[in-house]
Amino acid sequence: MAIYSVRHCAVAVTAFGTLLTTLSGCGSDGSGPVDAEGAQGPRHPVVSAIPATDPTRIPGVGDRLHRWIPRDSSQVVAVYGKGEDSPDSTVVLYMKEGPEWRPVARWAGHNGRNGWTTDHHSGDERSPVGVFGLSDAGGVLDDPGSMLPYDQDEYAYAPTIDTEAYEHVFDYVIAIDYNRLPGTPPHDPTRPDGDDKGGGVWLHPDHGDGTAACVSVPKGAMKFLLRTLDPARHPVMVMGDKEALRA
């Protein structure tokens, strides 16, 4: 899947974050709502989310980013950053039913510890604003039932920070298609736009604070997303601080 970013948007007019900027970078069939970590519940539970005025649009996403959501995408993970310089965010999974987008689940999450940027560079500890494909997954642990291609490797995804809080941070990861080659394992080091633009931007289990550029959610949410995101539905992530998303 191609990368759709704010930077690439500008190119298209003339022509939406990780502990590592360069990689060292469930549903069930029961009934009842998704719990706080998304580990239980039906595949399509309806929960409250950011109010929508137009059900054919992702709430809180303005024209600039909306036009970069592929027409064939029917799954969107929206990351609503609290502020431009904040590491705190809310993550909502939306699915398209007919012409309308419906919220499926939501979780508290984190993004880059310095907030957000439309011009991400390696080491700035900000998450890139934009629309990005979600095409590959992996982690330290065995495949929990991922619909995305899953690469299990306890060495490639071993945490580089040796503290208890980070011990399980890469148990599961979903690559965010920023400056990477879709169709390769998340730990693939190829950076099409160069190393200075960073890379290894993943969705991964939360460790309680901001990341180096990734987006983090509870571990149960990761399992839910891995079992729900379907390549046939062309899932993407729309991410940024609320102001940038509304633009």
Side-chain angles (χ1 to χ4, degrees):
M1 181 179 295
I3 299 172
Y4 302 85
S5 68
V6 171
R7 176 167 56 80
H8 289 165
C9 174
V11 173
V13 169
T14 60
F16 100 149
T18 184
L19 293 172
L20 308 175
T21 52
T22 56
L23 179 64
S24 38
C26 67
S28 73
D29 58 359
S31 60
V34 170
D35 67 17
E37 292 195 345
Q40 302 292 334
R43 202 164 194 69
H44 304 290
V46 177
V47 297
S48 61
I50 296 172
T53 56
D54 180 354
T56 67
R57 300 279 296 260
I58 300 295
V61 177
D63 291 341
R64 183 175 62 177
L65 294 183
H66 175 78
R67 67 171 61 101
W68 291 103
I69 299 174
R71 291 182 180 272
D72 59 359
S73 177
S74 58
Q75 292 180 322
V76 166
V77 179
V79 185
Y80 299 95
K82 183 177 180 179
E84 182 180 3
D85 301 319
S86 172
D88 301 321
S89 54
T90 298
V91 180
V92 183
L93 172 63
Y94 293 95
M95 291 194 188
K96 205 169 192 179
E97 299 177 5
E100 299 185 357
W101 289 99
R102 302 292 189 186
V104 173
R106 65 182 295 165
W107 307 274
H110 289 95
N111 49 262
R113 58 180 55 91
N114 289 333
W116 298 90
T117 179
T118 58
D119 187 22
H120 176 62
H121 286 79
S122 179
D124 65 13
E125 298 193 336
R126 291 179 178 269
S127 295
V129 175
V131 179
F132 307 100
L134 298 172
S135 53
D136 302 281
V140 171
L141 300 182
D142 290 339
D143 185 350
S146 175
M147 299 184 73
L148 299 172
Y150 189 89
D151 173 65
Q152 189 277 331
D153 192 320
E154 62 182 302
Y155 300 106
Y157 301 99
T160 58
I161 300 177
D162 188 19
T163 65
E164 184 176 353
Y166 290 82
E167 183 178 359
H168 298 289
V169 73
F170 297 143
D171 279 359
Y172 303 114
V173 306
I174 297 173
I176 298 170
D177 290 344
Y178 168 86
N179 196 18
R180 69 177 302 270
L181 292 176
T184 62
H187 61 79
D188 187 284
T190 305
R191 304 289 178 252
D193 295 328
D195 291 343
D196 182 59
K197 298 300 292 183
V201 182
W202 296 344
L203 181 62
H204 63 69
D206 192 63
H207 48 76
D209 57 9
T211 71
C214 291
V215 174
S216 61
V217 292
K219 188 173 180 178
M222 286 297 303
K223 294 173 71 175
F224 179 87
L225 289 168
L226 285 166
R227 295 167 177 169
T228 303
L229 296 177
D230 183 354
R233 301 186 70 171
H234 307 287
V236 298
M237 177 171 281
V238 182
M239 54 192 272
D241 60 279
K242 291 180 180 180
E243 183 175 351
L245 290 178
R246 287 194 299 264

